Amino acid sequence: MQQAQKQQLPASLQKIVGAFQIVPDPMARYKQLLFYAAKLPKMAAEDHVPENKVEGCVSQVWVKPELRDDGRVYWTADSDSQLTKGLAALLVLGLSGCTPQEVLTVQPSFIEMLGLKQSLTPSRNNGFLNMLLKMQRLTLELVAASEA
Amino acid sequence: MHAADQIDVELDDGMTVMVKQKPRDIPATRMGVGACLWEGELLLAAYLAAQPRHRYIGQRAVELGSGPGLAGLMLAMLGAQVVITDKDVVLPLIQENIELNGLPSTPGTSKHCGGSAMAEELEWGREGYMGRVAALASTPVDLVLAADVTYVDQDGQSPSTEHFVQTCKGLCGPQTVCLVSFELRSSQVKEVFLRESGREFSRVERLSKSALPKCYQVEHIELYKLQAVEAPSSQQLLELGERVRAEVPVLHQLVHGHDLVYLDNAATSQKPRAVLDAMNAYYEEYNSNVHRGVHSLSARATDAYEAARHKVAAFVNAATDREIVFTRNASEAINLVAYTWGLNNLKAGDEIILSVAEHHSNLVPWQLVAERTGAVLKHIGLTAQQELDVEQLKSMVNSRTKLISLPHVSNTLGCVLDVPAVVAAARSVGAKVLLDACQSVPHMPVDVQTLGADWIVASSHKMMGPTGIGFLWGRYDLLESMPPWMGGGEMIQDVFLDHSTYAAPPMRFEAGTPAIAEAIGLGAACDYLSSIGMDTVHAYEDDIGTYLYNQLAAVPKVTIYGPPPTAPRGRAALAAFNVEGLHATDVSTLLDNAGVAVRSGHHCTQPLHRFLGVPASARASCSVYTTRADVDAFIAALKDTIAFFEEVGSM
């Protein structure tokens, strides 16, 4: 079932999930997450603004989309928490270059495949879920703006 | 108002013993002595008579400054072996009273449950009196009865009070209970008495007179229970943690393959089997609505629910259980005060003093009330040691100050409030004091009768009780002055179609069917903590908290917030901290992976974190079941976590 779910994800995100699934040990998976964090391109200081801020996270997280002429969305992100930044990096790498439709159809439950024990219950502590939902909302807004 | 001049004691065989003083028998040279001893003695006798009688049988009691020996004689007739003492000139009176009552001087021979009485000379304060005291205490004393009056001389000294307290102490062993019936001739006498007894005794408890007949509820005499309980040895303390741990089921599990190390007690505590059993027993044996039906289950449920209120009252030493209002949690208790007292007493320009370290629960309700009334919020800051700045508070109070609402113990800084200073500042301008006691009531003895606050609030789930219930304690006259808040069943007296009359507190504030099982669970939690003894809980947590602080402070790159354990009022057994270069959630995520549960975030104190200049912190907090092994496991996991981030180059 996980395999079927995985295949519904954008190819770039599937690749990341695969990279986590071959790591057996939880600490090694966290290490991998931190490598993703390190790879995340720096977000411009002027993009750390309230419009880009993910509300409801204990750590501070910002995400910013850009709808390019190719009709695809490209992301930048940042966080003051390293692990949250790693999760942001997964989403930035996995969802950059996706069509808005692809972004909007990503089910939050894919995070369970990463083996990082991320909860999917909405709460003030749930960085990942809030981040994905924010990215999907920003995508919708971009689409609406481009159609208008 | 004077107390009645005699006391009648019903004996088990149906006879009534009248204990009566005969003031005329006091020699004329002792003028005045009788008058003041008279009432203190009667009050003491009345108090003893109101306690379970069987416990006195076979007990050894010494009465001090006995005058006619009222309380001692009564105790002897209830089966105790009593030595009634006073100055030599009073001894003939005592002797006569002993004989009149047919009490033998040797134990076991009287018809009064084997009680006995003898008169002995003890004039405390006289040269060499401590030798007499030591002789009396050479056989262990169970009960000391001390009814007396002492004076302060012109320069504010009170050697008589000092001698009195030293005499009490001299008679007390670790098991002795010393009951003092103390006539207050001036507030200075009380000050000296409290200071001296606080120095000599480990436990000083002002007793409620509410259980006594009205005629004994006189204001100028106070009853105190003094105990010189020895601090438990360090070995006993170490064993206590393990013993309690064994009784808390949830602690025994693996988390991510590691033994759970639960260090999030300031957020919520775990529950001992006794609490879970009490709640189950309610549902399995007598689940029923309270205060309504006349059927047996309803009566049982009502008894258990009200018994729980009584247990909570006793736990914080409230004068009566009518002063305990059950709420959903401490937040609701604060809101109750804000929406009843606050909205009815605050007006534009009035000032409410809070601190920068408030839990949001003690911040937001007042913000809402301030918006509605035009009252102004003021906030005290922190001292260099990161304790609440009471000096700043003193300079902030003025005639517009109507309320000071502060945390008794901060959930983030762990600092303990200087309550006497806060209360004195409040009293100087007639302001009320509310204490958020969520982090103090579960961890240290809290006596609302000596605390000086007008209200305290606390939460069951932080004190080994269930969630869904907390309580408000308020002085009864103050609760009585507060209008109802939420309407519904339980809180009414009579309901008409267009208006209603309301019940007296506490029912006035408990609309609808209450959290019955939860109240019973909270009562069981009070029993559980009381059976350990809050002094012992506090001593244990002082020890484990200091260990936690020192171990954590020794980890490189760690900053702990709040004062050190060596601060004058110490600190709670919790430590909010940050690791340089790491976000608190990253630290706590990896700690969780190692089975260690700590809180991370702002702990509902966002303004405090802003004040400290950090977005969040991690917090490890202890309970009486936290062991040194738990702290060691936490520290080891923290070091691993830091090493992990360093290795990956994320710091």
Side-chain angles (χ1 to χ4, degrees):
Chain A
M1 195 193 130
Q2 273 210 342
Q3 199 55 31
Q5 199 188 359
K6 186 176 161 189
Q7 277 161 7
Q8 287 169 8
L9 294 172
S12 44
L13 207 49
Q14 275 188 39
K15 211 171 112 189
I16 294 169
V17 170
F20 272 87
Q21 284 179 330
I22 57 165
V23 182
D25 164 49
M27 286 311 281
R29 286 196 288 270
Y30 280 121
K31 195 173 278 186
Q32 186 153 318
L33 192 65
L34 294 175
F35 285 134
Y36 277 99
K39 276 196 281 184
L40 183 68
K42 210 169 156 43
M43 192 186 210
E46 61 266 28
D47 289 336
H48 291 81
V49 290
E51 304 90 270
N52 296 335
K53 192 157 180 192
V54 180
E55 293 302 326
C57 289
V58 173
S59 48
Q60 304 194 74
V61 192
W62 297 268
V63 287
K64 190 190 173 207
E66 184 194 346
L67 187 62
R68 293 192 188 156
D69 296 341
D70 60 2
R72 292 169 186 273
V73 198
Y74 295 83
W75 298 92
T76 49
D78 199 6
S79 173
D80 57 351
S81 147
Q82 288 302 311
L83 295 175
T84 309
K85 194 171 168 179
L87 291 171
L90 297 187
L91 290 170
V92 164
L93 292 172
L95 296 179
S96 283
C98 288
T99 63
Q101 191 58 34
E102 284 174 314
V103 174
L104 293 174
T105 51
V106 171
Q107 293 298 311
S109 53
F110 93 87
I111 193 71
E112 286 167 355
M113 290 187 263
L114 298 178
L116 292 170
K117 296 163 192 138
Q118 277 289 316
S119 161
L120 291 169
T121 309
S123 85
R124 57 189 171 196
N125 235 352
N126 201 325
F128 169 76
L129 185 66
N130 294 333
M131 211 182 318
L132 179 62
L133 294 178
K134 170 86 175 178
M135 290 170 89
Q136 291 179 328
R137 200 171 66 246
L138 287 172
T139 305
L140 263 182
E141 284 170 15
L142 277 183
V143 173
S146 71
E147 282 170 358
Chain B
M1 182 178 173
H2 288 268
D5 66 350
Q6 78 173 43
I7 176 163
D8 300 342
V9 181
E10 295 283 343
L11 296 183
D12 292 340
D13 55 10
M15 282 177 57
T16 302
V17 176
M18 290 185 298
V19 183
K20 189 166 182 164
Q21 188 187 10
K22 294 193 285 182
R24 65 175 185 278
D25 289 351
I26 298 177
T29 51
R30 312 309 309 172
M31 279 281 287
V33 176
C36 56
L37 295 176
W38 196 25
E39 294 182 324
E41 285 257 354
L42 271 167
L43 216 69
L44 204 48
Y47 179 81
L48 292 166
Q51 307 300 311
R53 310 270 179 83
H54 58 83
R55 68 163 66 147
Y56 301 130
I57 297 170
Q59 292 227 310
R60 183 163 188 269
V62 174
E63 184 175 22
L64 294 181
S66 313
L70 285 184
L73 285 167
M74 196 200 77
L75 209 60
M77 283 183 269
L78 293 172
Q81 282 122 47
V82 188
V83 182
I84 305 176
T85 71
D86 209 316
K87 300 173 187 182
D88 52 6
V89 291
V90 191
L91 293 187
L93 167 67
I94 296 173
Q95 194 56 48
E96 187 193 336
N97 279 343
I98 291 174
E99 285 162 18
L100 276 171
N101 286 292
L103 283 159
S105 58
T106 45
T109 55
S110 82
K111 56 179 182 174
H112 302 301
C113 308
S116 64
M118 60 173 88
E120 284 201 25
E121 188 270 333
L122 174 62
E123 183 177 353
W124 49 264
R126 191 175 166 187
E127 202 183 336
Y129 74 103
M130 284 307 282
R132 294 284 305 132
V133 169
L136 282 165
S138 60
T139 312
V141 179
D142 299 303
L143 205 53
V144 176
L145 307 178
D148 229 313
V149 59
T150 57
Y151 301 91
V152 172
D153 54 28
Q154 282 175 336
D155 50 1
Q157 302 297 310
S158 181
S160 59
T161 308
E162 289 171 23
H163 294 150
F164 174 67
V165 174
Q166 279 162 14
T167 303
C168 291
K169 176 66 194 301
L171 290 168
C172 284
Q175 307 294 332
T176 313
V177 171
C178 178
L179 292 173
V180 179
S181 175
F182 197 76
E183 181 167 339
L184 297 175
R185 289 292 172 93
S186 75
S187 58
Q188 281 173 303
V189 169
K190 184 176 174 180
E191 258 173 51
V192 177
F193 171 72
L194 287 178
R195 186 190 68 211
E196 291 299 312
S197 49
R199 184 182 298 162
E200 297 286 347
F201 289 87
S202 55
R203 241 182 242 180
V204 179
E205 188 184 340
R206 192 175 139 197
L207 298 169
S208 165
K209 294 187 289 247
S210 65
L212 303 185
K214 276 267 185 262
C215 61
Y216 299 116
Q217 296 184 17
V218 289
E219 275 186 14
H220 61 284
I221 298 174
E222 289 187 347
L223 289 173
Y224 288 90
K225 181 160 104 179
L226 310 181
Q227 283 173 283
V229 185
E230 276 173 22
S233 70
S234 51
Q235 186 57 34
Q236 283 170 317
L237 282 182
L238 282 176
E239 286 164 5
L240 175 66
E242 292 292 348
R243 178 168 73 72
V244 178
R245 200 181 135 72
E247 291 167 7
V248 180
V250 78
L251 294 173
H252 307 275
Q253 61 173 300
L254 295 179
V255 169
H256 302 317
H258 301 268
D259 283 326
L260 168 64
V261 174
Y262 185 78
L263 290 175
D264 196 14
N265 292 286
T268 200
S269 60
Q270 303 298 355
K271 324 305 173 198
R273 174 69 67 197
V275 169
L276 305 175
D277 287 350
M279 295 178 74
N280 268 334
Y282 164 71
Y283 281 125
E284 290 180 4
E285 295 165 24
Y286 60 99
N287 172 51
S288 205
N289 212 330
V290 293
H291 301 137
R292 290 181 171 86
V294 292
H295 60 81
S296 301
L297 292 195
S298 176
R300 264 187 84 183
T302 305
D303 284 352
Y305 180 72
E306 288 302 322
R309 194 192 306 280
H310 193 80
K311 289 171 185 184
V312 174
F315 194 71
V316 296
N317 197 33
T320 149
D321 61 8
R322 303 293 91 191
E323 292 183 337
I324 302 295
V325 181
F326 283 131
T327 58
R328 274 190 303 146
N329 44 44
S331 299
E332 188 181 69
I334 294 176
N335 278 281
L336 196 166
V337 177
Y339 282 89
T340 58
W341 181 85
L343 287 184
N344 282 279
N345 288 277
L346 296 170
K347 52 186 192 302
D350 284 348
E351 293 178 2
I352 301 171
I353 300 182
L354 309 168
S355 78
V356 297
E358 283 336 303
H359 190 283
H360 300 163
S361 298
N362 194 31
L363 202 53
V364 184
W366 302 116
Q367 290 172 349
L368 293 169
V369 164
E371 272 173 30
R372 301 243 316 246
T373 59
V376 180
L377 302 183
K378 300 207 148 190
H379 304 90
I380 59 166
L382 306 182
T383 63
Q385 265 203 336
Q386 295 186 332
E387 295 184 291
L388 297 193
D389 192 345
V390 175
E391 289 307 312
Q392 190 189 357
L393 176 105
K394 288 176 189 167
S395 64
M396 208 182 259
V397 292
N398 62 67
S399 59
R400 293 183 302 278
T401 310
K402 292 293 180 289
L403 172 71
I404 300 174
S405 188
L406 295 169
H408 190 187
V409 169
S410 161
N411 74 329
T412 306
L413 299 168
C415 58
V416 183
L417 186 67
D418 184 354
V419 179
V422 170
V423 168
R427 295 288 171 262
S428 71
V429 294
K432 297 275 184 284
V433 176
L434 187 154
L435 292 182
D436 170 0
C438 283
Q439 301 291 346
S440 58
V441 163
H443 305 293
M444 59 170 77
V446 171
D447 178 343
V448 292
Q449 295 193 53
T450 52
L451 197 61
D454 296 288
W455 302 279
I456 71 165
V457 302
S459 174
S460 157
H461 72 89
K462 286 180 169 41
M463 53 193 286
M464 302 179 103
T467 55
I469 193 158
F471 68 90
L472 165 71
W473 166 84
R475 282 192 295 103
Y476 192 76
D477 55 344
L478 190 53
L479 292 180
E480 249 184 335
S481 76
M482 288 155 51
W485 179 28
M486 291 187 274
E490 296 266 2
M491 51 77 73
I492 42 87
Q493 192 171 45
D494 289 302
V495 178
F496 305 91
L497 283 178
D498 56 348
H499 75 284
S500 299
T501 53
Y502 304 109
M507 304 314 293
R508 181 185 298 169
F509 306 108
E510 295 181 8
T513 295
I516 304 166
E518 287 74 8
I520 291 167
L522 170 57
C526 289
D527 282 345
Y528 187 83
L529 287 167
S530 299
S531 73
I532 300 170
M534 288 311 291
D535 290 302
T536 304
V537 168
H538 188 48
Y540 182 86
E541 292 193 7
D542 250 0
D543 180 74
I544 195 77
T546 302
Y547 185 69
L548 168 72
Y549 185 95
N550 291 338
Q551 296 300 102
L552 187 55
V555 178
K557 299 187 182 177
V558 164
T559 304
I560 306 174
Y561 303 106
T566 51
R569 286 175 304 283
R571 64 173 283 145
L574 63 86
F577 67 98
N578 264 309
V579 180
E580 189 190 329
L582 282 183
H583 196 280
T585 55
D586 292 345
V587 174
S588 59
T589 302
L590 290 202
L591 286 176
D592 175 62
N593 203 55
V596 180
V598 299
R599 174 83 183 261
S600 82
H602 48 61
H603 324 307
C604 299
T605 57
Q606 281 186 9
L608 176 60
H609 281 82
R610 230 165 270 136
F611 191 88
L612 295 170
V614 291
S617 61
R619 181 185 64 194
S621 51
C622 306
S623 177
V624 68
Y625 45 70
T626 306
T627 61
R628 288 193 174 212
D630 287 330
V631 174
D632 292 342
F634 158 60
I635 296 294
L638 179 65
K639 286 178 176 165
D640 287 349
T641 298
I642 296 171
F644 176 83
F645 281 106
E646 279 173 340
E647 187 194 323
V648 181
S650 293
M651 285 177 78

